[in-house]
């Protein structure tokens, strides 16, 4: 199929990318708006300005590389929303807890009250465990008070949102599907368990497209989540709830899952950092399988540093997942130096390839210029940026949908209403299966099950599944080649910024086409980081655009380092949504 | 109620073992999932063979009738690993329903299989024993179908790259069935997981699912269509059972379902090159049932051929019914079932090294076929050979006895005779007997040197099996040394003849059979200790002399 590149769905005039003039850039208390000119996607800032930016940051303590480090870079002041380049909320929480400046209960209540205020319009969460969070926070305060600071984990007091397709023993886990309405797992997913062991407080379960199948979170069996930047728009998907929750600071960080872009695209739509780790980097145990060979658990943060912190905690081999890797897990934060320690050209010797095919037809002009502008910024930081062509890029999308649907058709067979989940009584077995699944599963899920079943059927297997596997090999090879020449490949994370709710619900092909930027990375099993890089017009304050950085297997450290430098030096943009203007 | 039960199995509660734990699928009258046990009476074709006896006879005469049968077998062997194939649940037979289950083997969301290394080891052992070519790299696939006993909606199995292929199995047909040596091809061996079990309520209004068996490791062994009669098929199955037990990879108990044979049977006129339509038979709980079921099925099919109703032989699954000694239609196959196999993405490939295989090969015990050839070479009859090699414990006992220098035939006779009979009565296995191979060889030596008679030995051996101890101590304790003094025996003979004048009279009148009576009386008088040889010699002389 050649129709996978849809026309831009939301096509702002490329010439109107400057700040909306209707609203003057009044610096607000919270700095929720872009603070200054120049316009986001216009000229790259002169190097001069960038240096100035570096030099006017307040000095930070020397970085320390242990979890117990109080601070290795600027942490936000106690009030979590502050202007300036994104600061680490995790560090700030830790600092204020250990210094006694704030209690965990205090911090938790700040987040919960914001959650309560914003949730009616956002609907990021399927389940909020407010009371449990408060209880855990008080417990933590008691431990700190009784001098047990050493026993305080690296994520102590950090409120985490968990995508609802990750199992939690203490909360219902539905995968966004009616068929699992009320289902409460017997165990915690490994990623969740590791977060808890590090002291994190799980604040609730975030909304998603049913079983991760979708790009807007409209496919949830329960509710539609809105985008914190504009409540008439989608937050992206499938991890839309996790992205919007972090964007709106309903929680500090969150877990998502990424099968074809489900972390990266919503990160881009919501203006947060999203990381899709290498396949196998994080255990899938406890992640309700969509497409097992593509699924990874990923994470969101409002800064690269926070994202790196979460990855350090959740990554690593798990004996419960034979596809998890035993590759060493470094402390991903250790290379994330404070701005004051950066050289003027911190990305010297970094070779960056910008994937030609991702900046062509079907891609929103505003997105293209944001990415080009981000590329110039990377160049100014010392890297070499060149265009690289990956001819097999467009083959990935159809192959992805065949493979993902095939695996999904199998993975979702267990939702039959026999052992758990919603069962519809019927007079015979087949009818019971049919009715339970017809009733419990949503439209998109059924469509993919049917596609996958078809692709795996006798007589079609070779033409579809096997051929798609061959394409997958091609895609892998072409990435290997490109990543032999470049340290990092960059592209948009999505062909457009967030679009309107309902805009694509009746056009699945257009919806699928939106995944063009991300699916290849899953097919190749590579890590990719999305960092907010600019805005396009839309909403009251513009709509964020994310830059996708793709690396070789297990190069998360490199991606996070480059992403961190990029983020910390990105001038004059703030990715705190207008929703929080009243904070 | 069923719904409550259903909730009982859900999530954390079900991990509490004392709950009663049957997950229920209720109110699905049986149309679909009780067919396995039911529907037996429904679709039997009209042309029913006349009688079993006749059918069996006809089967035996099949070649004469111009037909040939073709039989292939799929055998499922449950491996007796400590834990299940893909989770760490205990692999126990006979536990309370749903007490050996976990989220993984119950197919809960988010769970993943992790391969038990022991399963691979058992598979390699079995594959080597079946003379197979082992795949250094094999993989798992998903076989997909819906059934309430299959929690994930797919079975983890191996499809296009099984762990082993292209082997063979040598068997000896028992003498009473005509004897002879056969070699049957083995197409493939693959690893997979077992499904759970459905328990149907008596009323038939609901069924319950027991998932204890779900995830138990299996080897599926597929034969070439090389067998031609029920007895050949039964022997093939029995040899697989022997291998399973020799290798210790499973218990091979058919009644527990630890060894299950599904048989494919077709017939064709001799000379026809293509196979006839094959029919699958299930539900046979012994090798004898396999043999009878196949012979019945062969004759059923031949009869249909002969009555020009060959079109009534359709591809179907039939169940063997022990009570009527017939097969009945269970389900007709609507074309080929499409299991939509695809590679299991949750499990990495299974990669073996030559070193690993060699290590296992070096630890393999002597297998039944090698044993049989060895026993044959030491001059035992085929019947003895087959008997002794049948059970590795018996074979081991026999071999140990020989190590003490005992004559093979004598040792074989004792083991196959008195020892087996006693153990069978007491329902003991030979390794539960307190008799040691050393004592058996001692006892045989005592018989040979005349210290005890064979008759005494028969008493001693029972004592030794039950209580242990040495032959010597039993003999001494019970004063059982044979009376080999001719004078003492002569005295006893005289006494007996004197005490039985009437019988002596009759003897003299020509009723010479009475010699046995006298011998018995003397033996009785000696409390069995008289040397039978001497006794007979002296008694004979006396009787002759008295005439």
């Amino acid at each position: 199929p050649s129709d996978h590149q849809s026309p831009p769905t939301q096509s702002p005039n490329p010439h109107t990318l400057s700040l909306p003039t209707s609203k003057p850039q009044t610096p607000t208390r919270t700095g929720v708006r872009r603070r200054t000119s120049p316009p986001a996607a216009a000229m790259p800032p002169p190097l001069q300005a960038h240096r100035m930016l570096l030099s006017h940051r307040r000095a930070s303590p020397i970085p320390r590389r242990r979890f117990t480090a109080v601070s290795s870079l600027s942490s936000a002041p106690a009030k979590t929303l502050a202007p300036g380049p994104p600061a680490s909320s995790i560090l700030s929480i830790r600092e204020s807890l250990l210094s006694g400046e704030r209690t965990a209960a205090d911090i938790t209540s700040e987040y919960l009250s914001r959650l309560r205020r914003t949730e009616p319009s956002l609907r990021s969460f399927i389940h909020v465990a407010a009371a449990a969070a408060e209880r855990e926070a008080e417990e933590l305060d008691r431990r700190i008070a009784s001098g047990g600071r050493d026993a305080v984990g690296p994520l102590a007091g950090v409120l985490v949102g968990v995508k609802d397709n990750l199992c939690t023993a203490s909360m219902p886990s539905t995968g966004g599907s009616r068929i699992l309405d009320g289902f409460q797992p017997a165990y915690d997913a490994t990623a969740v368990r590791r977060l808890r062991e590090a002291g994190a407080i799980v604040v609730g379960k975030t909304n998603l497209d049913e079983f991760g199948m979708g790009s807007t979170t409209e496919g949830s069996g329960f509710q539609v989540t809105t985008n914190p930047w504009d409540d008439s728009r989608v937050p992206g998907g499938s991890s839309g709830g996790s992205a919007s929750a972090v964007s709106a600071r309903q929680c500090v960080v969150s877990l998502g899952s990424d099968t074809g872009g489900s972390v990266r695209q919503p990160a881009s739509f919501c203006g947060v950092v999203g990381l899709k780790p290498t396949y196998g980097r994080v255990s899938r145990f406890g992640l309700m399988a969509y497409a097992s060979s593509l699924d990874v658990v990923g994470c969101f943060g409002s800064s690269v540093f926070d994202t790196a912190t979460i990855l350090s905690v959740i990554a690593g081999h798990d004996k419960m997942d034979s596809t998890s890797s035993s590759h060493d897990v470094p402390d991903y934060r250790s290379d994330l130096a404070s701005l004051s320690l950066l050289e003027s050209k911190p990305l010297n010797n970094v070779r960056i390839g910008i994937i030609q095919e991702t900046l062509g037809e079907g891609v929103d002009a505003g997105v293209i210029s944001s990415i080009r502008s981000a590329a110039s910024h990377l160049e100014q930081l010392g890297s070499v940026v060149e265009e690289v062509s990956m001819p097999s890029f467009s083959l990935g999308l159809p192959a992805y949908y065949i493979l993902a649907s095939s695996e999904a058709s199998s993975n979702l067979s267990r939702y039959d209403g026999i052992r758990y989940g919603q069962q519809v009584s019927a007079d015979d077995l087949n009818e019971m299966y049919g009715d339970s699944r017809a009733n419990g599963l949503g439209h998109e899920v059924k469509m993919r099950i049917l596609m996958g079943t078809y692709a795996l059927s006798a007589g079609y297997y070779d033409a579809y599944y096997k051929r798609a596997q061959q394409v997958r090999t091609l895609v892998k090879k072409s990435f290997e080649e490109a990543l032999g020449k470049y340290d990092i490949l960059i592209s948009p994370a999505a062909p457009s910024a967030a679009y309107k709710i309902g805009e694509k619900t009746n056009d699945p092909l257009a919806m699928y086409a939106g995944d063009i930027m991300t699916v290849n990375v899953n097919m190749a099993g590579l890590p990719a980081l999305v960092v907010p890089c600019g805005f396009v017009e839309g909403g009251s304050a513009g709509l964020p655009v994310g830059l996708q950085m793709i690396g070789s297997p297990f190069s998360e450290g490199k991606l996070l380092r480059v992403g961190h430098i990029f983020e910390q030096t990105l001038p004059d943009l703030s990715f705190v949504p207008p929703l929080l203007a009243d904070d | 109620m069923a719904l409550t039960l259903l909730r009982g199995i859900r999530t954390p509660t079900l991990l509490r073992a004392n709950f009663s734990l049957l997950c229920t699928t209720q109110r699905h009258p049986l149309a679909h999932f009780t067919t396995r046990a039911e529907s037996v009476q429904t679709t039997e074709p009209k042309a029913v063979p006349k009688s079993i006896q006749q059918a069996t006879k006809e089967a035996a005469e099949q070649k004469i009738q111009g037909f040939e049968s073709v039989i292939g077998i799929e055998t499922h062997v449950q491996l007796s690993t400590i834990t299940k194939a893909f989770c760490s649940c205990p692999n126990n037979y006979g536990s309370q329903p749903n007490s050996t289950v976990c989220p993984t083997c119950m197919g809960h969301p988010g769970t993943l299989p992790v391969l038990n290394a022991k399963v691979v080891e058992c598979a390699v052992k079995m594959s080597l024993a079946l003379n197979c070519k082992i795949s250094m790299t094999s993989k798992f696939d998903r076989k997909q179908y819906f059934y309430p006993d299959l929690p994930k909606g797919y079975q983890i199995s191996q499809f296009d790259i099984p762990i082993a292929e292209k082997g063979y199995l040598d068997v000896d047909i028992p003498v009473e069935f005509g004897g002879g040596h056969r070699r049957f091809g083995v197409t493939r061996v693959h690893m997979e997981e077992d499904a759970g079990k459905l328990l149907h309520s008596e009323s038939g209004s609901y069924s319950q699912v027991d998932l204890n068996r779900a995830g138990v490791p299996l080897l599926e062994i597929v034969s070439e269509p090389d067998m031609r009669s029920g007895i050949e098929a039964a022997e093939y199955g029995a040899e697989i059972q022997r291998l399973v037990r020799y290798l210790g990879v499973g218990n091979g108990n058919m009644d527990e379902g630890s060894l299950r044979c599904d048989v494919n049977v077709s017939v064709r006129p001799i000379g026809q090159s293509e196979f006839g339509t094959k029919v699958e038979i299930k539900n046979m709980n012994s090798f004898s049932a396999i043999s009878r079921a196949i012979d019945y099925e062969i004759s059923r099919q031949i009869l249909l051929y002969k009555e020009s109703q060959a079109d009534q032989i359709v591809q179907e699954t039939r169940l063997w019914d022990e009570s009527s000694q017939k097969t009945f239609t269970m389900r007709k196959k609507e074309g080929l079932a499409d299991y939509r196999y695809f590679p299991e993405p949750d499990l990495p490939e299974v990669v073996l090294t030559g070193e690993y295989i060699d290590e296992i090969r070096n630890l393999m015990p002597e297998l039944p076929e090698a044993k049989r050839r060895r026993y044959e070479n030491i001059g035992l009859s085929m019947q003895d050979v087959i008997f002794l090699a049948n059970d590795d414990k018996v074979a081991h006992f026999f071999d140990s006895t020989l190590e003490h220098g005992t004559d093979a035939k004598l040792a074989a006779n004792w083991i196959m005779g008195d020892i087996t009979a006693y153990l069978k009565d007491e329902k003991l296995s030979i390794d539960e007997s307190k008799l040691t191979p050393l004592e058996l060889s001692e006892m045989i030596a005592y018989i040979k040197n005349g210290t005890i008679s064979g008759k005494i030995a028969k008493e001693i051996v029972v004592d030794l099996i039950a209580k242990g101890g040495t032959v010597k101590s039993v003999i001494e304790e019970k004063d059982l040394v044979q009376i080999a003094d001719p004078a003492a025996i002569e005295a006893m003979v005289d006494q007996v003849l004197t005490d039985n004048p009437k019988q002596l009279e009759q003897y003299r009148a020509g009723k010479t059979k009475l010699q046995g009576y006298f011998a018995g009386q003397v033996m009785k008088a000696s409390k069995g200790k008289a040397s039978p040889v001497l006794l007979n010699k002296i008694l004979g002389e006396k009787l002759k002399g008295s005439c």
Side-chain angles (χ1 to χ4, degrees):
Chain A
S2 56
D3 58 349
H4 56 267
Q5 292 207 341
S6 71
T9 51
Q10 165 226 348
S11 40
N13 183 334
H15 303 296
T16 61
L17 280 170
S18 56
L19 274 175
T21 46
S22 56
K23 299 207 172 180
Q25 308 119 29
T26 45
T28 63
R29 282 183 296 137
T30 55
V32 293
R33 200 148 288 141
R34 277 169 283 176
R35 283 163 290 125
T36 54
S37 55
M43 288 293 290
L47 189 57
Q48 205 73 37
H50 155 71
R51 289 199 122 162
M52 189 194 74
L53 200 78
L54 282 181
S55 59
H56 81 242
R57 292 285 156 238
R58 72 184 166 99
S60 299
I62 305 299
R64 286 158 64 185
R65 305 193 169 189
R66 316 239 356 237
F67 271 138
T68 48
V70 168
S71 171
S72 66
L73 82 165
S74 62
S75 62
K79 190 79 177 156
T80 42
L81 304 180
S88 166
S89 305
I90 292 177
L91 279 180
S92 143
I93 288 169
R94 189 168 184 79
E95 222 169 279
S96 44
L97 282 181
L98 293 185
S99 67
E101 191 187 326
R102 296 184 73 188
T103 62
D106 191 17
I107 294 165
T108 301
S109 113
E110 178 205 321
Y111 275 96
L112 283 177
S113 75
R114 193 156 45 231
L115 188 150
R116 287 190 190 102
R117 182 166 63 75
T118 52
E119 188 59 8
S121 76
L122 289 180
R123 297 181 293 275
S124 314
F125 287 87
I126 295 179
H127 178 85
V128 177
E134 282 162 352
R135 218 171 33 243
E136 285 172 46
E138 283 160 16
E139 165 63 24
L140 172 61
D141 285 333
R142 275 194 296 278
R143 276 211 308 282
I144 293 173
S146 64
R149 288 186 185 185
D150 293 342
V152 171
L155 295 180
V158 173
L159 266 67
V160 181
V162 173
K163 191 177 181 180
D164 205 31
N165 60 355
L166 284 158
C167 289
T168 45
S170 58
M171 298 172 204
S173 305
T174 67
S177 181
R178 286 278 172 193
I179 206 163
L180 287 183
D181 197 1
F183 173 71
Q184 191 154 330
Y187 68 100
D188 270 342
T190 299
V192 173
R193 178 175 56 77
R194 288 182 175 170
L195 287 180
R196 285 195 204 271
E197 284 168 2
I201 297 171
V202 178
V203 69
K205 303 301 292 289
T206 60
N207 196 27
L208 68 159
D209 290 290
E210 188 173 3
F211 292 119
M213 300 182 194
S215 312
T216 63
T217 319
E218 294 164 286
S220 165
F222 301 96
Q223 65 205 28
V224 175
T225 298
T226 64
N227 191 313
W229 291 84
D230 176 354
D231 65 9
S232 68
R233 291 175 192 270
V234 299
S238 63
S239 312
S242 288
S244 92
V246 169
S247 170
R249 275 60 172 175
Q250 293 178 311
C251 55
V252 181
V253 286
S254 62
L255 291 185
S257 67
D258 190 316
T259 306
S262 285
V263 163
R264 290 160 288 158
Q265 181 254 26
S268 178
F269 280 18
C270 292
V272 295
V273 177
L275 175 69
K276 177 233 174 269
T278 308
Y279 183 78
R281 175 75 297 184
V282 180
S283 169
R284 290 185 293 119
F285 186 70
L287 170 66
M288 296 176 187
Y290 159 19
S292 315
S293 73
L294 302 160
D295 291 343
V296 290
V297 174
C299 46
F300 295 93
S302 52
S303 65
V304 172
F305 189 90
D306 285 356
T307 311
T309 307
I310 298 303
L311 182 66
S312 297
V313 171
I314 63 174
H317 181 255
D318 175 14
K319 67 178 171 47
M320 299 303 282
D321 176 3
S322 355
T323 64
S324 68
S325 167
S326 342
H327 204 275
D328 276 350
V329 181
D331 181 347
Y332 291 107
R333 306 168 311 166
S334 57
D335 274 349
L336 310 186
S338 147
L339 272 183
S340 58
L341 297 176
L342 293 181
E343 314 152 29
S344 61
K345 297 267 187 188
L347 297 186
N348 256 337
N349 303 323
V350 177
R351 298 157 303 163
I352 294 175
I354 178 162
I355 304 170
Q356 240 169 39
E357 286 76 8
T358 64
L359 297 177
E361 205 187 326
V363 183
D364 189 299
V367 168
I368 294 177
S369 63
S370 286
I371 299 303
R372 291 213 182 277
S373 151
S376 312
H377 181 58
L378 287 166
E379 261 178 331
Q380 274 151 26
L381 291 168
S383 64
V384 176
V385 182
E386 290 169 3
E387 293 216 348
V388 54
S389 172
M390 296 183 62
S392 63
F393 203 83
S394 64
L395 298 176
L397 193 71
Y400 165 82
Y401 270 95
I402 286 173
L403 294 179
S405 301
S406 297
E407 292 186 25
S409 73
S410 174
N411 283 329
L412 271 60
S413 297
R414 68 186 61 198
Y415 306 114
D416 56 8
I418 302 264
R419 297 165 307 287
Y420 49 78
Q422 298 300 308
Q423 183 186 80
V424 174
S425 292
D427 286 338
D428 84 11
L429 181 64
N430 276 345
E431 207 178 311
M432 190 207 73
Y433 278 140
D435 292 355
S436 297
R437 286 165 69 82
N439 200 51
L441 299 175
H443 176 74
E444 181 65 31
V445 167
K446 285 177 196 159
M447 193 155 69
R448 294 197 196 187
I449 290 174
L450 286 174
M451 286 198 293
T453 303
Y454 184 85
L456 290 176
S457 295
Y460 297 94
Y461 182 89
D462 287 358
Y464 294 103
Y465 184 85
K466 203 169 160 195
R467 193 127 180 265
Q469 286 289 27
Q470 289 162 347
V471 171
R472 185 173 186 170
T473 307
L474 270 182
V475 168
K476 244 184 221 169
K477 274 193 187 141
S478 93
F479 268 115
E480 265 164 33
E481 237 165 71
L483 286 166
K485 284 190 224 137
Y486 300 97
D487 297 300
I488 288 176
L489 301 172
I490 59 171
S491 79
S496 72
Y499 41 86
K500 294 278 188 183
I501 290 170
E503 194 175 314
K504 295 190 184 179
T505 39
N506 294 321
D507 189 354
L509 284 181
M511 187 96 87
Y512 296 171
D515 299 338
I516 180 78
M517 302 298 176
T518 45
V519 291
N520 286 292
V521 175
N522 296 77
M523 301 264 280
L526 303 174
L529 178 70
V530 168
V531 181
C533 71
F535 286 89
V536 297
E537 197 171 69
S540 60
L543 298 169
V545 172
L547 170 71
Q548 174 173 234
M549 301 191 262
I550 304 162
S552 299
F554 303 103
S555 68
E556 284 84 352
K558 190 192 285 174
L559 293 177
L560 289 163
R561 190 179 80 88
V562 174
H564 174 71
I565 293 168
F566 177 86
E567 162 201 83
Q568 294 296 314
T569 56
L570 193 67
D572 309 325
L573 296 175
S574 173
F575 292 93
V576 179
L579 182 76
L580 300 181
D582 303 340
D583 261 41
Chain B
M1 172 217 65
L3 202 63
T4 339
L5 272 176
L6 198 59
R7 292 206 192 278
I9 198 178
R10 288 169 194 228
T11 57
T13 41
L14 83 151
L15 297 173
R16 290 175 211 143
N18 60 349
F19 214 105
S20 142
L21 327 181
L22 284 176
C23 137
T24 322
T25 54
Q26 72 153 156
R27 277 180 263 128
H28 316 300
L30 317 177
H32 294 270
F33 63 98
T34 51
T35 42
R36 290 183 180 183
E38 278 204 338
S39 83
V40 160
Q41 279 95 340
T42 49
T43 40
E44 180 59 10
K46 300 246 162 63
V48 179
K50 301 140 208 168
S51 75
I52 303 155
Q53 289 81 356
Q54 192 179 346
T56 317
K57 206 170 142 220
E58 281 174 24
E61 293 164 358
Q62 51 180 296
K63 287 208 166 120
I64 302 161
Q65 294 170 320
F67 288 94
E68 175 189 45
S69 57
V70 176
I71 301 155
I73 303 186
E74 279 173 27
T75 312
H76 287 91
V77 176
Q78 263 183 12
L79 301 176
S80 46
T81 50
I82 295 162
T83 56
K84 292 185 180 180
F86 300 112
C87 64
S88 50
C89 285
N91 173 13
N92 289 339
Y93 177 79
S95 307
Q96 278 292 305
N98 295 315
S99 64
T100 58
V101 292
C102 72
T104 299
C105 58
M106 288 191 296
H108 275 216
T111 55
L112 297 169
V114 176
L115 177 60
N116 180 347
K118 205 79 190 165
V119 174
V120 179
E121 191 186 314
C122 291
V124 170
K125 273 186 191 167
M126 201 63 194
S127 303
L128 288 172
L130 291 166
N131 310 292
C132 285
K133 189 174 153 272
I134 293 176
S135 317
M136 300 308 278
T137 302
S138 70
K139 65 177 175 74
F140 284 97
D141 299 274
R142 292 183 182 178
K143 178 180 180 176
Q144 312 191 66
Y145 61 94
F146 284 96
Y147 205 68
D149 65 8
L150 190 69
K152 300 186 294 298
Y154 56 83
Q155 177 193 31
I156 302 178
S157 182
Q158 295 193 291
F159 182 50
D160 51 344
I161 313 176
I163 185 129
E165 292 178 284
K166 298 191 179 89
Y168 60 85
L169 185 59
D170 288 316
V171 306
D172 286 295
I173 303 295
V175 186
E176 61 270 33
F177 293 102
H181 186 264
R182 303 274 195 286
R183 173 168 290 186
F184 301 126
V186 169
T187 313
R188 56 184 277 156
V189 177
H190 73 248
M191 303 177 275
E192 60 183 27
E193 58 177 339
D194 213 338
K197 250 183 213 166
L198 291 190
L199 311 168
H200 304 292
S201 68
E202 273 177 36
S203 67
S205 62
Y206 64 92
S207 298
Q208 298 172 300
V209 188
D210 174 7
L211 294 179
N212 283 349
R213 202 178 68 176
V216 164
L218 292 179
L219 290 184
E220 181 175 321
I221 301 163
V222 182
S223 82
E224 288 290 302
D226 286 352
M227 284 136 278
R228 294 290 174 268
S229 67
I231 191 65
E232 286 189 357
E235 263 318 302
Y236 167 90
E239 186 71 3
I240 296 225
Q241 185 186 52
R242 269 171 227 130
L243 290 180
V244 166
R245 290 176 175 172
Y246 266 63
L247 295 169
V249 299
N251 66 29
N253 293 340
M254 293 186 88
D255 50 352
E256 291 175 10
S258 305
L259 182 78
R260 311 194 282 270
C261 294
D262 298 339
V263 177
N264 284 303
V265 180
S266 67
V267 300
R268 62 181 170 190
I270 285 177
Q272 180 181 308
S273 60
E274 63 271 24
F275 292 138
T277 305
K278 74 175 176 195
V279 169
E280 188 183 27
I281 320 175
K282 288 176 183 273
N283 199 36
M284 294 149 301
N285 295 321
S286 67
F287 297 122
S288 133
I290 289 176
S291 177
R292 281 175 281 131
I294 291 174
D295 288 342
Y296 170 82
E297 182 60 24
I298 292 171
S299 62
R300 186 186 73 89
Q301 293 184 19
I302 289 178
L303 210 68
L304 287 170
Y305 256 111
K306 290 173 76 184
E307 292 172 357
S308 305
Q309 289 180 307
D311 58 339
Q312 286 205 28
I313 305 172
V314 294
Q315 199 172 336
E316 61 176 343
T317 300
R318 297 176 71 86
L319 289 182
W320 171 246
D321 178 47
E322 197 65 56
S323 58
S324 63
Q325 298 284 301
K326 289 179 181 177
T327 64
F328 292 99
T329 295
M330 172 178 139
R331 59 166 177 253
K332 308 252 184 211
K333 294 208 168 151
E334 293 153 13
L336 271 178
D338 185 356
Y339 292 117
R340 302 190 312 282
Y341 280 102
F342 79 104
E344 166 58 279
D346 288 332
L347 289 168
E349 289 179 326
V350 179
V351 180
L352 308 177
T353 62
E355 220 175 7
Y356 174 83
I357 294 171
D358 288 344
E359 211 172 286
I360 291 176
R361 186 180 280 123
N362 294 337
L363 292 172
M364 296 273 280
E366 184 184 33
L367 296 173
E369 171 67 6
K371 276 210 196 306
R372 288 192 299 261
R373 299 289 75 86
R374 184 160 61 81
Y375 293 165
E376 205 179 9
N377 288 338
I378 56 177
L380 294 177
S381 74
M382 208 51 211
Q383 203 166 358
D384 295 1
V385 164
I386 290 175
F387 182 94
L388 292 169
N390 182 54
D391 182 335
D392 62 329
K393 290 171 190 153
V394 172
H396 181 252
F397 191 95
F398 174 68
D399 287 339
S400 305
T401 310
L402 296 198
E403 277 168 24
H404 299 293
T406 307
D407 176 74
K409 183 63 192 167
L410 290 176
N413 286 348
W414 275 101
I415 292 171
M416 293 170 61
D418 289 69
I419 296 176
T420 298
Y422 180 81
L423 293 174
K424 200 176 167 193
D425 284 349
E426 301 293 318
K427 296 195 169 64
L428 294 171
S429 78
I430 200 158
D431 55 347
E432 288 167 307
S433 150
K434 297 207 169 93
L435 171 70
T436 63
L438 173 64
E439 290 312 311
L440 176 61
S441 74
E442 288 284 302
M443 192 185 80
I444 292 170
Y446 277 121
I447 301 168
K448 227 175 172 178
N449 70 22
T451 309
I452 55 172
S453 67
K455 187 151 186 289
I456 293 289
K458 280 170 185 284
E459 284 172 38
I460 292 175
V461 82
V462 167
D463 247 49
L464 290 173
I465 295 171
K467 297 181 197 137
T470 62
V471 183
K472 205 170 167 227
S473 66
V474 175
I475 291 171
E476 280 168 4
E477 191 184 305
K478 296 197 165 180
D479 187 23
L480 292 174
V481 178
Q482 181 162 262
I483 301 170
D485 174 7
I489 291 175
E490 192 177 348
M492 282 189 278
V493 169
D494 288 344
Q495 190 61 46
V496 165
L497 293 181
T498 317
D499 292 349
N500 295 285
K502 209 174 150 192
Q503 284 79 0
L504 191 59
E505 197 69 28
Q506 290 171 341
Y507 182 88
R508 285 181 180 140
K511 205 167 175 187
T512 52
K513 275 185 193 161
L514 279 170
Q515 182 170 348
Y517 170 78
F518 294 121
Q521 292 302 306
V522 176
M523 200 47 108
K524 199 172 162 190
S526 76
K527 293 183 184 131
K529 292 189 290 182
S531 157
V533 179
L534 271 179
L535 177 129
N536 277 323
K537 185 169 163 253
I538 294 165
L539 178 64
E541 282 164 6
K542 288 268 173 192
L543 286 172
K544 248 181 232 161
S546 74
C547 285

